[in-house]
Amino acid sequence: MDEDDELDEEMLDQGEQVMSILKPVTLTMILVVFIVKSLERLNDYEGNAFSSIQAYEEKDTDSTSTKLGGSLLNAIIFIVLILCVTVVMLVLYKYHCYKVIYGWMIVSCTLLLGFFGGRVLFLLLDAYNIPFDYITFFYVVWNFALTGVLAIFWKAPRLCNQGYLVAVSAILAWALTELPEWTTWMVLGAVALYDIFAVLSPKGPLKALVEISQERKEPIPGLIYEATNVKLGLGDFVFYSVLCGRASLFEYATVATAFLGILAGLCLTLFLLAIYRRALPALPLSIALGIIFYFLTRVILVPFIADLGKDQIFVQGRRER
């Protein structure tokens, strides 16, 4: 095999690796946007599963400075909680408390698939006026949650395992889209910055987890989507989808541009991963590009298109003779 053939084969392998991650990320974002747009049908629906851990409750009448300060406080609380959970996971992993770790994750997934998954199903049935009796409803939810736990933590076909990982990500992401608007954007920015610290800092908890895992030559216990030779934590799936879900509450144009920004950032991250061949934070580039594309579209593109439509101005390309 000559050098050109080896180069072509390597590029093909890298392309397959990129697509193996882009497909589930894309599917997760589409599911979240579908759920968010579907539940807009419910005029009387107002929910926020995370209201109990928010220090500030956003109101439309609040001033910009109040919203900024309050959302920053909420973001700090979220980051502190994420840091605490990560540190606890690190300590348990360091001292070989595997049963505690897996017990914790199994309970969390059961509650997420059963409670939040059941809530999503109930609201969707209500939104589309689909009749359903309670006995069948609880039977379906129970089997969905139980099968999901078995597929994720025990034995199941690879496609079933990956499907449930996508479902877990989509359900949690939808729950996070219920956060107030300013808090959502502040949390996304804060999480992206935290990801840089956690993965790249010498004292970062995720960096420490990776180093211990490499020393022991064993996988990190956690909810991780693995395709070919690329691994992506479900937290990355979740926050990508939160951004798209929040964008869908404004216009479809903002969804499209945020979606493209996230995928562009993820491709850049995978490209850097191929170069440096070390653990890299997957959130910063995607979140940064997604937010930039969203606000550029919302502030510039959408008003521009609206003005064109209002003034009945149409752009037509020149035809070649």
Side-chain angles (χ1 to χ4, degrees):
M1 181 180 293
D2 58 26
E3 292 184 1
D4 290 339
D5 291 336
E6 290 180 357
L7 181 60
D8 291 341
E9 186 175 346
E10 183 178 354
M11 291 179 64
L12 181 62
D13 290 340
Q14 290 178 355
E16 290 177 353
Q17 290 177 6
V18 171
M19 291 305 300
S20 67
I21 288 295
L22 291 185
K23 287 178 181 178
V25 168
T26 299
L27 178 59
T28 307
M29 292 191 290
I30 291 173
L31 282 174
V32 173
V33 171
F34 166 74
I35 295 171
V36 170
K37 298 303 290 183
S38 296
L39 296 189
E40 283 187 333
R41 298 165 176 262
L42 301 176
N43 297 325
D44 59 343
Y45 169 68
E46 290 184 8
N48 184 353
F50 299 92
S51 59
S52 60
I53 60 175
Q54 291 177 219
Y56 163 71
E57 300 228 357
E58 186 179 316
K59 299 177 182 177
D60 294 336
T61 56
D62 290 344
S63 64
T64 300
S65 59
T66 301
K67 291 179 180 179
L68 184 62
S71 59
L72 178 59
L73 180 59
N74 287 341
I76 292 173
I77 293 173
F78 269 85
I79 295 303
V80 170
L81 288 175
I82 292 173
L83 177 61
C84 290
V85 170
T86 309
V87 170
V88 170
M89 178 72 74
L90 173 60
V91 172
L92 292 174
Y93 183 57
K94 183 177 181 180
Y95 292 101
H96 302 275
C97 301
Y98 299 119
K99 291 182 180 179
V100 177
I101 293 174
Y102 282 106
W104 178 11
M105 290 193 296
I106 288 172
V107 171
S108 299
C109 279
T110 303
L111 292 175
L112 185 64
L113 292 171
F115 179 74
F116 284 101
R119 187 162 172 245
V120 170
L121 176 59
F122 181 84
L123 292 172
L124 287 174
L125 292 172
D126 189 16
Y128 288 99
N129 294 316
I130 300 175
F132 222 71
D133 64 90
Y134 281 105
I135 296 177
T136 305
F137 175 81
F138 285 114
Y139 177 79
V140 169
V141 171
W142 165 256
N143 280 276
F144 174 73
L146 181 61
T147 304
V149 171
L150 293 176
I152 293 172
F153 296 103
W154 198 43
K155 295 180 180 180
R158 185 179 181 83
L159 187 61
C160 181
N161 173 271
Q162 293 177 336
Y164 266 103
L165 290 175
V166 168
V168 167
S169 303
I171 293 169
L172 182 55
W174 164 76
L176 285 169
T177 60
E178 296 181 334
L179 290 171
E181 182 177 11
W182 282 67
T183 296
T184 301
W185 296 120
M186 197 64 71
V187 167
L188 286 171
V191 167
L193 293 175
Y194 168 78
D195 201 28
I196 296 174
F197 158 75
V199 176
L200 299 181
S201 171
K203 300 295 183 180
L206 292 179
K207 180 180 177 64
L209 271 171
V210 171
E211 289 176 348
I212 295 173
S213 172
Q214 291 174 345
E215 288 176 4
R216 297 177 181 174
K217 296 181 179 180
E218 63 183 17
I220 299 174
L223 298 177
I224 298 174
Y225 188 99
E226 183 174 358
T228 61
N229 295 321
V230 182
K231 297 179 181 179
L232 197 65
L234 290 200
D236 301 320
F237 281 69
V238 169
F239 289 108
Y240 296 157
S241 302
V242 169
L243 202 163
C244 268
R246 171 51 62 178
S248 71
L249 293 173
F250 186 71
E251 288 277 353
Y252 280 111
T254 53
V255 178
T257 54
F259 176 83
L260 291 176
I262 290 168
L263 293 187
L266 181 55
C267 288
L268 285 173
T269 302
L270 293 174
F271 175 73
L272 293 174
L273 182 65
I275 294 175
Y276 293 104
R277 298 191 180 279
R278 53 166 294 184
L280 293 175
L283 288 177
L285 288 176
S286 291
I287 295 298
L289 289 177
I291 290 176
I292 290 171
F293 284 16
Y294 168 83
F295 280 104
L296 285 177
T297 304
R298 178 170 178 171
V299 175
I300 298 175
L301 183 59
V302 171
F304 176 70
I305 294 174
D307 288 340
L308 290 179
K310 181 176 63 176
D311 297 331
Q312 297 296 307
I313 299 174
F314 299 95
V315 180
Q316 184 175 0
R318 174 186 279 177
R319 290 185 178 180
E320 299 259 345
R321 292 186 179 181

PDB file of all heavy atoms in Angstrom, residues 136-157:
ATOM      1  N   THR A 136     -52.282   1.634  31.163  1.00  0.00           N
ATOM      2  CA  THR A 136     -51.364   1.440  30.037  1.00  0.00           C
ATOM      3  C   THR A 136     -50.211   2.427  30.104  1.00  0.00           C
ATOM      4  O   THR A 136     -49.061   2.082  29.813  1.00  0.00           O
ATOM      5  CB  THR A 136     -52.110   1.609  28.700  1.00  0.00           C
ATOM      6  OG1 THR A 136     -53.226   0.725  28.670  1.00  0.00           O
ATOM      7  CG2 THR A 136     -51.195   1.322  27.525  1.00  0.00           C
ATOM      8  N   PHE A 137     -50.521   3.669  30.494  1.00  0.00           N
ATOM      9  CA  PHE A 137     -49.485   4.705  30.580  1.00  0.00           C
ATOM     10  C   PHE A 137     -48.378   4.294  31.549  1.00  0.00           C
ATOM     11  O   PHE A 137     -47.191   4.320  31.207  1.00  0.00           O
ATOM     12  CB  PHE A 137     -50.111   6.023  31.034  1.00  0.00           C
ATOM     13  CG  PHE A 137     -49.114   7.116  31.263  1.00  0.00           C
ATOM     14  CD1 PHE A 137     -48.609   7.848  30.203  1.00  0.00           C
ATOM     15  CD2 PHE A 137     -48.678   7.403  32.551  1.00  0.00           C
ATOM     16  CE1 PHE A 137     -47.682   8.857  30.422  1.00  0.00           C
ATOM     17  CE2 PHE A 137     -47.751   8.409  32.776  1.00  0.00           C
ATOM     18  CZ  PHE A 137     -47.249   9.138  31.702  1.00  0.00           C
ATOM     19  N   PHE A 138     -48.753   3.894  32.767  1.00  0.00           N
ATOM     20  CA  PHE A 138     -47.749   3.509  33.762  1.00  0.00           C
ATOM     21  C   PHE A 138     -47.015   2.228  33.356  1.00  0.00           C
ATOM     22  O   PHE A 138     -45.830   2.066  33.654  1.00  0.00           O
ATOM     23  CB  PHE A 138     -48.402   3.339  35.132  1.00  0.00           C
ATOM     24  CG  PHE A 138     -48.751   4.650  35.789  1.00  0.00           C
ATOM     25  CD1 PHE A 138     -50.080   5.003  35.999  1.00  0.00           C
ATOM     26  CD2 PHE A 138     -47.758   5.541  36.172  1.00  0.00           C
ATOM     27  CE1 PHE A 138     -50.400   6.208  36.596  1.00  0.00           C
ATOM     28  CE2 PHE A 138     -48.070   6.749  36.763  1.00  0.00           C
ATOM     29  CZ  PHE A 138     -49.397   7.089  36.973  1.00  0.00           C
ATOM     30  N   TYR A 139     -47.727   1.337  32.679  1.00  0.00           N
ATOM     31  CA  TYR A 139     -47.083   0.107  32.186  1.00  0.00           C
ATOM     32  C   TYR A 139     -45.989   0.450  31.167  1.00  0.00           C
ATOM     33  O   TYR A 139     -44.880  -0.091  31.216  1.00  0.00           O
ATOM     34  CB  TYR A 139     -48.137  -0.808  31.564  1.00  0.00           C
ATOM     35  CG  TYR A 139     -47.579  -2.073  30.960  1.00  0.00           C
ATOM     36  CD1 TYR A 139     -47.237  -3.160  31.759  1.00  0.00           C
ATOM     37  CD2 TYR A 139     -47.383  -2.177  29.576  1.00  0.00           C
ATOM     38  CE1 TYR A 139     -46.714  -4.326  31.203  1.00  0.00           C
ATOM     39  CE2 TYR A 139     -46.864  -3.340  29.024  1.00  0.00           C
ATOM     40  CZ  TYR A 139     -46.529  -4.400  29.831  1.00  0.00           C
ATOM     41  OH  TYR A 139     -46.012  -5.546  29.276  1.00  0.00           O
ATOM     42  N   VAL A 140     -46.312   1.351  30.238  1.00  0.00           N
ATOM     43  CA  VAL A 140     -45.347   1.756  29.205  1.00  0.00           C
ATOM     44  C   VAL A 140     -44.147   2.468  29.836  1.00  0.00           C
ATOM     45  O   VAL A 140     -42.988   2.177  29.506  1.00  0.00           O
ATOM     46  CB  VAL A 140     -46.027   2.663  28.158  1.00  0.00           C
ATOM     47  CG1 VAL A 140     -44.986   3.308  27.236  1.00  0.00           C
ATOM     48  CG2 VAL A 140     -47.036   1.873  27.339  1.00  0.00           C
ATOM     49  N   VAL A 141     -44.423   3.392  30.752  1.00  0.00           N
ATOM     50  CA  VAL A 141     -43.338   4.159  31.385  1.00  0.00           C
ATOM     51  C   VAL A 141     -42.438   3.228  32.200  1.00  0.00           C
ATOM     52  O   VAL A 141     -41.206   3.337  32.156  1.00  0.00           O
ATOM     53  CB  VAL A 141     -43.919   5.282  32.260  1.00  0.00           C
ATOM     54  CG1 VAL A 141     -42.812   5.934  33.098  1.00  0.00           C
ATOM     55  CG2 VAL A 141     -44.612   6.324  31.406  1.00  0.00           C
ATOM     56  N   TRP A 142     -43.040   2.315  32.954  1.00  0.00           N
ATOM     57  CA  TRP A 142     -42.261   1.383  33.774  1.00  0.00           C
ATOM     58  C   TRP A 142     -41.344   0.527  32.902  1.00  0.00           C
ATOM     59  O   TRP A 142     -40.155   0.367  33.199  1.00  0.00           O
ATOM     60  CB  TRP A 142     -43.204   0.502  34.588  1.00  0.00           C
ATOM     61  CG  TRP A 142     -42.541  -0.702  35.186  1.00  0.00           C
ATOM     62  CD1 TRP A 142     -42.635  -1.990  34.753  1.00  0.00           C
ATOM     63  CD2 TRP A 142     -41.664  -0.742  36.319  1.00  0.00           C
ATOM     64  NE1 TRP A 142     -41.886  -2.829  35.534  1.00  0.00           N
ATOM     65  CE2 TRP A 142     -41.271  -2.090  36.514  1.00  0.00           C
ATOM     66  CE3 TRP A 142     -41.178   0.227  37.194  1.00  0.00           C
ATOM     67  CZ2 TRP A 142     -40.420  -2.490  37.532  1.00  0.00           C
ATOM     68  CZ3 TRP A 142     -40.315  -0.167  38.216  1.00  0.00           C
ATOM     69  CH2 TRP A 142     -39.936  -1.511  38.376  1.00  0.00           C
ATOM     70  N   ASN A 143     -41.881  -0.016  31.820  1.00  0.00           N
ATOM     71  CA  ASN A 143     -41.079  -0.853  30.934  1.00  0.00           C
ATOM     72  C   ASN A 143     -40.010  -0.043  30.203  1.00  0.00           C
ATOM     73  O   ASN A 143     -38.890  -0.533  29.974  1.00  0.00           O
ATOM     74  CB  ASN A 143     -41.979  -1.572  29.926  1.00  0.00           C
ATOM     75  CG  ASN A 143     -42.647  -2.792  30.507  1.00  0.00           C
ATOM     76  OD1 ASN A 143     -42.070  -3.870  30.546  1.00  0.00           O
ATOM     77  ND2 ASN A 143     -43.866  -2.623  30.998  1.00  0.00           N
ATOM     78  N   PHE A 144     -40.348   1.175  29.835  1.00  0.00           N
ATOM     79  CA  PHE A 144     -39.365   2.054  29.184  1.00  0.00           C
ATOM     80  C   PHE A 144     -38.181   2.314  30.111  1.00  0.00           C
ATOM     81  O   PHE A 144     -37.020   2.215  29.704  1.00  0.00           O
ATOM     82  CB  PHE A 144     -40.044   3.364  28.794  1.00  0.00           C
ATOM     83  CG  PHE A 144     -39.096   4.401  28.246  1.00  0.00           C
ATOM     84  CD1 PHE A 144     -38.552   4.267  26.982  1.00  0.00           C
ATOM     85  CD2 PHE A 144     -38.763   5.523  29.006  1.00  0.00           C
ATOM     86  CE1 PHE A 144     -37.682   5.225  26.468  1.00  0.00           C
ATOM     87  CE2 PHE A 144     -37.887   6.483  28.508  1.00  0.00           C
ATOM     88  CZ  PHE A 144     -37.344   6.333  27.238  1.00  0.00           C
ATOM     89  N   ALA A 145     -38.466   2.642  31.377  1.00  0.00           N
ATOM     90  CA  ALA A 145     -37.397   2.936  32.335  1.00  0.00           C
ATOM     91  C   ALA A 145     -36.579   1.691  32.657  1.00  0.00           C
ATOM     92  O   ALA A 145     -35.341   1.733  32.683  1.00  0.00           O
ATOM     93  CB  ALA A 145     -37.997   3.530  33.613  1.00  0.00           C
ATOM     94  N   LEU A 146     -37.253   0.578  32.907  1.00  0.00           N
ATOM     95  CA  LEU A 146     -36.549  -0.658  33.264  1.00  0.00           C
ATOM     96  C   LEU A 146     -35.671  -1.153  32.120  1.00  0.00           C
ATOM     97  O   LEU A 146     -34.499  -1.519  32.326  1.00  0.00           O
ATOM     98  CB  LEU A 146     -37.562  -1.735  33.654  1.00  0.00           C
ATOM     99  CG  LEU A 146     -36.978  -3.089  34.090  1.00  0.00           C
ATOM    100  CD1 LEU A 146     -36.092  -2.915  35.320  1.00  0.00           C
ATOM    101  CD2 LEU A 146     -38.094  -4.085  34.371  1.00  0.00           C
ATOM    102  N   THR A 147     -36.226  -1.150  30.910  1.00  0.00           N
ATOM    103  CA  THR A 147     -35.443  -1.578  29.746  1.00  0.00           C
ATOM    104  C   THR A 147     -34.247  -0.655  29.530  1.00  0.00           C
ATOM    105  O   THR A 147     -33.153  -1.100  29.174  1.00  0.00           O
ATOM    106  CB  THR A 147     -36.327  -1.594  28.485  1.00  0.00           C
ATOM    107  OG1 THR A 147     -37.465  -2.428  28.712  1.00  0.00           O
ATOM    108  CG2 THR A 147     -35.552  -2.117  27.282  1.00  0.00           C
ATOM    109  N   GLY A 148     -34.447   0.637  29.757  1.00  0.00           N
ATOM    110  CA  GLY A 148     -33.358   1.594  29.592  1.00  0.00           C
ATOM    111  C   GLY A 148     -32.217   1.343  30.556  1.00  0.00           C
ATOM    112  O   GLY A 148     -31.038   1.379  30.163  1.00  0.00           O
ATOM    113  N   VAL A 149     -32.538   1.089  31.809  1.00  0.00           N
ATOM    114  CA  VAL A 149     -31.501   0.814  32.803  1.00  0.00           C
ATOM    115  C   VAL A 149     -30.731  -0.449  32.442  1.00  0.00           C
ATOM    116  O   VAL A 149     -29.487  -0.493  32.529  1.00  0.00           O
ATOM    117  CB  VAL A 149     -32.126   0.694  34.209  1.00  0.00           C
ATOM    118  CG1 VAL A 149     -31.103   0.180  35.215  1.00  0.00           C
ATOM    119  CG2 VAL A 149     -32.664   2.046  34.661  1.00  0.00           C
ATOM    120  N   LEU A 150     -31.452  -1.493  32.019  1.00  0.00           N
ATOM    121  CA  LEU A 150     -30.786  -2.733  31.611  1.00  0.00           C
ATOM    122  C   LEU A 150     -29.919  -2.522  30.378  1.00  0.00           C
ATOM    123  O   LEU A 150     -28.802  -3.053  30.284  1.00  0.00           O
ATOM    124  CB  LEU A 150     -31.831  -3.815  31.335  1.00  0.00           C
ATOM    125  CG  LEU A 150     -32.636  -4.314  32.552  1.00  0.00           C
ATOM    126  CD1 LEU A 150     -33.702  -5.301  32.107  1.00  0.00           C
ATOM    127  CD2 LEU A 150     -31.720  -4.953  33.578  1.00  0.00           C
ATOM    128  N   ALA A 151     -30.409  -1.712  29.427  1.00  0.00           N
ATOM    129  CA  ALA A 151     -29.658  -1.479  28.190  1.00  0.00           C
ATOM    130  C   ALA A 151     -28.389  -0.672  28.441  1.00  0.00           C
ATOM    131  O   ALA A 151     -27.356  -0.904  27.802  1.00  0.00           O
ATOM    132  CB  ALA A 151     -30.542  -0.755  27.177  1.00  0.00           C
ATOM    133  N   ILE A 152     -28.448   0.253  29.382  1.00  0.00           N
ATOM    134  CA  ILE A 152     -27.302   1.126  29.639  1.00  0.00           C
ATOM    135  C   ILE A 152     -26.266   0.441  30.526  1.00  0.00           C
ATOM    136  O   ILE A 152     -25.059   0.541  30.279  1.00  0.00           O
ATOM    137  CB  ILE A 152     -27.775   2.449  30.285  1.00  0.00           C
ATOM    138  CG1 ILE A 152     -28.610   3.256  29.284  1.00  0.00           C
ATOM    139  CG2 ILE A 152     -26.577   3.280  30.757  1.00  0.00           C
ATOM    140  CD1 ILE A 152     -29.278   4.467  29.883  1.00  0.00           C
ATOM    141  N   PHE A 153     -26.725  -0.282  31.550  1.00  0.00           N
ATOM    142  CA  PHE A 153     -25.784  -0.789  32.557  1.00  0.00           C
ATOM    143  C   PHE A 153     -25.553  -2.296  32.498  1.00  0.00           C
ATOM    144  O   PHE A 153     -24.689  -2.805  33.208  1.00  0.00           O
ATOM    145  CB  PHE A 153     -26.283  -0.415  33.962  1.00  0.00           C
ATOM    146  CG  PHE A 153     -26.330   1.060  34.192  1.00  0.00           C
ATOM    147  CD1 PHE A 153     -27.535   1.741  34.145  1.00  0.00           C
ATOM    148  CD2 PHE A 153     -25.168   1.768  34.449  1.00  0.00           C
ATOM    149  CE1 PHE A 153     -27.587   3.116  34.354  1.00  0.00           C
ATOM    150  CE2 PHE A 153     -25.208   3.130  34.661  1.00  0.00           C
ATOM    151  CZ  PHE A 153     -26.415   3.812  34.612  1.00  0.00           C
ATOM    152  N   TRP A 154     -26.306  -3.002  31.669  1.00  0.00           N
ATOM    153  CA  TRP A 154     -26.103  -4.442  31.620  1.00  0.00           C
ATOM    154  C   TRP A 154     -25.859  -4.867  30.183  1.00  0.00           C
ATOM    155  O   TRP A 154     -24.931  -4.369  29.557  1.00  0.00           O
ATOM    156  CB  TRP A 154     -27.293  -5.179  32.251  1.00  0.00           C
ATOM    157  CG  TRP A 154     -26.992  -6.589  32.622  1.00  0.00           C
ATOM    158  CD1 TRP A 154     -25.874  -7.069  33.218  1.00  0.00           C
ATOM    159  CD2 TRP A 154     -27.837  -7.718  32.387  1.00  0.00           C
ATOM    160  NE1 TRP A 154     -25.958  -8.428  33.396  1.00  0.00           N
ATOM    161  CE2 TRP A 154     -27.152  -8.853  32.896  1.00  0.00           C
ATOM    162  CE3 TRP A 154     -29.094  -7.890  31.814  1.00  0.00           C
ATOM    163  CZ2 TRP A 154     -27.699 -10.136  32.833  1.00  0.00           C
ATOM    164  CZ3 TRP A 154     -29.640  -9.170  31.765  1.00  0.00           C
ATOM    165  CH2 TRP A 154     -28.948 -10.283  32.269  1.00  0.00           C
ATOM    166  N   LYS A 155     -26.663  -5.752  29.643  1.00  0.00           N
ATOM    167  CA  LYS A 155     -26.440  -6.255  28.295  1.00  0.00           C
ATOM    168  C   LYS A 155     -27.607  -5.874  27.392  1.00  0.00           C
ATOM    169  O   LYS A 155     -28.761  -6.022  27.761  1.00  0.00           O
ATOM    170  CB  LYS A 155     -26.285  -7.780  28.311  1.00  0.00           C
ATOM    171  CG  LYS A 155     -25.051  -8.265  29.055  1.00  0.00           C
ATOM    172  CD  LYS A 155     -24.971  -9.789  29.016  1.00  0.00           C
ATOM    173  CE  LYS A 155     -23.742 -10.297  29.765  1.00  0.00           C
ATOM    174  NZ  LYS A 155     -23.650 -11.769  29.743  1.00  0.00           N
ATOM    175  N   ALA A 156     -27.246  -5.404  26.207  1.00  0.00           N
ATOM    176  CA  ALA A 156     -28.250  -5.052  25.207  1.00  0.00           C
ATOM    177  C   ALA A 156     -27.543  -4.864  23.877  1.00  0.00           C
ATOM    178  O   ALA A 156     -26.329  -4.624  23.834  1.00  0.00           O
ATOM    179  CB  ALA A 156     -28.972  -3.763  25.608  1.00  0.00           C
ATOM    180  N   PRO A 157     -28.261  -4.974  22.760  1.00  0.00           N
ATOM    181  CA  PRO A 157     -27.649  -4.662  21.459  1.00  0.00           C
ATOM    182  C   PRO A 157     -27.079  -3.246  21.473  1.00  0.00           C
ATOM    183  O   PRO A 157     -27.624  -2.360  22.136  1.00  0.00           O
ATOM    184  CB  PRO A 157     -28.829  -4.791  20.479  1.00  0.00           C
ATOM    185  CG  PRO A 157     -29.785  -5.715  21.162  1.00  0.00           C
ATOM    186  CD  PRO A 157     -29.657  -5.440  22.626  1.00  0.00           C
TER     187      PRO A 157
END
